[in-house]
Amino acid sequence: MLAKEIRQRFIDFFVKEYGHRHIASASVIPENDPTVLFTTAGMQQLVPYMIGEAHPEGKKLVDFQKCIRTDDIDEVGDATHLTFFEMLGNWSLGDYFKEEAIKMSYQFLTNPVEKGGMGFDPERLCVSCFAGDEDAPRDDEAAEIWESLGFVRAEKASEDQKKRIYFYGKEQNWWGPAGQTGPCGPDTEIFYDIQGGPISSDEHPDDESGRFVEIWNNVFMQYNKQSDGSFLPLAQKNVDTGMGLERMASIMETKDSPFDTSLFATAKSKLREMASEPNENSLRIILDHIRAGVFILGDPMGVSPSNTDQGYILRRLIRRAIRHARKIGIESDFGAEIAKIFINEYKDVYPELDKNRDRILEELHNEEIKFNKTLENGLREMKKLFSSWDAENFDVQKAAEQAFFIYETYGFPVEMIIEELNREGFEFDSKRFVEIFDQKFKKHQEQS
């Protein structure tokens, strides 16, 4: 089952079976939340309606949402991390709550394919619930609903019992708010056991073994986090769910990584043709960053590359893609070529990409030209600096502060500065180097 079918199947299930209204994806630039640079989850456009405002389409909604998460940019290149992704979700704004939400998600996952479901074997599913803390009680209500569907609490399970319920704290089973304040609450997550077979007592979904893959999250928005850190009950109880399209596509297409699915196949094949020395890590970084750049540039509220806010993230993504293109032997104007593929593959779902095609391609082309000049000038100035530094008694503080001057003057990214230092044989604490650099950057922003 290809990604585009999963997306449509999800929408059809909630519209046809349970009377939800399909709403459009919001912009990747949040309109109602100044505390974050990008839309990081489907719930952000719905925050006003979770705290009482009436939604024009009613109380039961379903959508697929464009999301950008930037915390893990440096992790992109492995088998799981993505900067841009699509989150599929169904919503209840004061209508149904835990029991209906849990049973709907279970039904969609386990119904046969010919009946509109995903055809998952129920015996390959495990779930988790919130363990409780000083802010909110243990979610036994959600656990009892799962028990009614044949699941058993892990501490009571025999080795052959596969449909297990686990309890975790806030880090694993609490969602929100998307910013510093706002709607939030406990969640129950559904995991797919990619291995199958008996489960030992020391195996569980949070053990990082890779055996269990999270595929669905039902969030019960019961609280409103205040600026002082306290949690007050919301006037209406809401349901916010999420199913990551890329992760589900990996499972349904039986691939080890989203980068091997239909979502990236054409673009990845083109990149391999262009590269003289392709490696998987660089291919994934380029694919991820160019796709994210296409969606940021093509958004109705799209921004341009710059040295501040969203523009800074966009510039960092594009330039990191250019660096990795050079690593695999691509020197040409490659960004626009890969962008065309993504535009064509997504334009039926997100027509704004085709509408803004010329802008996307022009911005990518211009940024590539600018960055090539930056590389030449920055490298020249860095080599001057390197010659004045003592490799035996390397001063991280002084080096990071001087490196910021290179960034400020030439736009040369900190990651590339560190790479050049390593290439020249300097040994130092790169994490500390970045911390000092970031301090200088934040101070610069405040002064600006």
Side-chain angles (χ1 to χ4, degrees):
M1 189 184 297
L2 301 182
K4 61 182 179 181
E5 184 180 346
I6 297 170
R7 189 193 290 118
Q8 191 58 52
R9 188 171 282 252
F10 183 89
I11 299 299
D12 288 345
F13 175 83
F14 285 98
V15 170
K16 295 175 182 178
E17 296 292 328
Y18 290 102
H20 290 59
R21 297 296 297 271
H22 181 197
I23 60 172
S25 170
S27 166
V28 294
I29 312 298
E31 296 182 63
N32 302 312
D33 191 350
T35 66
V36 291
L37 291 176
F38 291 103
T39 298
T40 61
M43 58 85 66
Q44 278 168 267
Q45 67 162 311
L46 295 171
V47 168
Y49 311 105
M50 290 182 181
I51 57 178
E53 189 177 326
H55 195 284
E57 295 293 335
K59 293 185 175 183
K60 297 194 296 183
L61 311 172
V62 63
D63 69 350
F64 43 84
Q65 172 65 49
K66 302 179 291 185
C67 299
I68 299 280
R69 291 186 185 172
T70 60
D71 292 346
D72 299 321
I73 287 178
D74 291 331
E75 303 301 319
V76 172
D78 64 13
T80 58
H81 284 91
L82 297 164
T83 307
F84 169 85
F85 61 95
E86 292 178 84
M87 188 61 75
L88 288 70
N90 57 289
W91 310 86
S92 168
L93 305 174
D95 191 272
Y96 60 83
F97 201 46
K98 292 184 183 181
E99 182 170 8
E100 297 91 333
I102 288 173
K103 290 182 176 179
M104 285 178 195
S105 57
Y106 183 69
Q107 180 185 347
F108 178 70
L109 289 173
T110 60
N111 267 13
V113 172
E114 60 271 18
K115 292 187 177 180
M118 298 296 287
F120 276 82
D121 177 359
E123 295 297 309
R124 300 283 284 269
L125 300 178
C126 289
V127 301
S128 63
C129 298
F130 180 56
D133 62 11
E134 65 277 6
D135 297 319
R138 177 183 173 100
D139 197 353
D140 284 311
E141 181 184 357
E144 288 166 6
I145 297 166
W146 285 117
E147 286 176 319
S148 74
L149 295 170
F151 288 74
V152 64
R153 301 187 189 216
E155 62 271 19
K156 299 179 181 178
S158 66
E159 191 172 89
D160 293 331
Q161 172 65 52
K162 304 195 179 62
K163 296 169 67 176
R164 299 186 180 191
I165 304 167
Y166 298 85
F167 286 90
Y168 298 123
K170 258 207 182 77
E171 188 174 337
Q172 292 85 7
N173 278 93
W174 184 277
W175 205 98
Q180 296 170 2
T181 60
C184 55
D187 64 45
T188 183
E189 298 180 353
I190 307 174
F191 299 85
Y192 176 63
D193 178 2
I194 61 175
Q195 177 181 313
I199 303 172
S200 66
S201 59
D202 60 347
E203 291 181 299
H204 60 94
D206 196 46
D207 63 11
E208 298 184 356
S209 67
R211 174 173 180 170
F212 301 95
V213 179
E214 181 198 336
I215 55 175
W216 197 306
N217 192 5
N218 283 293
V219 182
F220 308 119
M221 294 290 192
Q222 301 173 242
Y223 301 96
N224 197 358
K225 186 179 181 182
Q226 308 299 298
S227 56
D228 63 1
S230 62
F231 294 83
L232 299 180
L234 281 169
Q236 68 181 35
K237 293 181 178 180
N238 311 293
V239 172
D240 156 16
T241 79
M243 183 179 86
L245 178 63
E246 287 81 0
R247 186 172 295 180
M248 185 60 76
S250 298
I251 295 172
M252 299 306 292
E253 295 184 27
T254 63
K255 303 295 185 183
D256 294 331
S257 164
F259 296 104
D260 297 319
T261 68
S262 57
L263 292 165
F264 291 97
T266 306
K268 192 173 187 179
S269 177
K270 179 65 175 177
L271 263 184
R272 283 193 177 278
E273 287 177 19
M274 300 171 75
S276 60
E277 302 176 62
N279 71 74
E280 186 65 20
N281 180 265
S282 290
L283 289 172
R284 289 173 176 177
I285 289 170
I286 296 166
L287 290 168
D288 172 88
H289 290 4
I290 295 298
R291 187 176 73 145
V294 164
F295 274 90
I296 295 171
L297 288 165
D299 194 87
M301 296 177 65
V303 297
S304 296
S306 70
N307 288 334
T308 58
D309 300 327
Q310 290 98 342
Y312 169 73
I313 299 296
L314 175 59
R315 172 162 283 168
R316 184 181 174 196
L317 290 169
I318 297 171
R319 293 188 172 190
R320 194 163 187 251
I322 296 170
R323 286 169 45 217
H324 280 273
R326 285 191 165 206
K327 282 186 178 182
I328 60 175
I330 301 176
E331 300 286 343
S332 61
D333 187 6
F334 78 99
E337 287 302 307
I338 302 304
K340 288 175 188 176
I341 295 171
F342 286 128
I343 293 169
N344 290 337
E345 294 200 345
Y346 282 96
K347 65 182 180 182
D348 292 338
V349 182
Y350 298 105
E352 64 269 22
L353 299 183
D354 200 34
K355 181 180 178 181
N356 295 314
R357 175 185 293 261
D358 291 344
R359 178 176 184 273
I360 295 169
L361 302 181
E362 183 180 0
E363 290 278 17
L364 287 170
H365 174 72
N366 290 342
E367 190 62 18
E368 201 161 336
I369 292 173
K370 289 177 184 176
F371 192 44
N372 284 334
K373 291 180 180 176
T374 291
L375 288 175
E376 294 173 12
N377 296 331
L379 278 171
R380 186 170 56 248
E381 292 303 314
M382 272 201 299
K383 288 188 182 299
K384 291 180 183 177
L385 271 180
F386 293 166
S387 64
S388 67
W389 291 345
D390 183 356
E392 296 291 326
N393 300 291
F394 188 76
D395 188 334
V396 175
Q397 180 80 33
K398 179 181 176 182
E401 290 177 354
Q402 289 183 318
F404 180 78
F405 171 77
I406 298 294
Y407 162 76
E408 188 179 21
T409 307
Y410 301 100
F412 207 82
V414 65
E415 306 100 299
M416 288 196 70
I417 295 171
I418 291 173
E419 283 180 10
E420 291 300 321
L421 280 168
N422 290 332
R423 191 174 288 120
E424 292 289 328
F426 289 95
E427 295 182 4
F428 60 99
D429 182 346
S430 59
K431 185 177 180 181
R432 178 61 183 151
F433 188 96
V434 172
E435 287 174 355
I436 298 166
F437 186 95
D438 285 345
Q439 289 170 5
K440 291 286 290 182
F441 180 77
K442 288 173 183 175
K443 185 176 181 181
H444 169 74
Q445 280 189 309
E446 289 168 8
Q447 291 173 342
S448 297

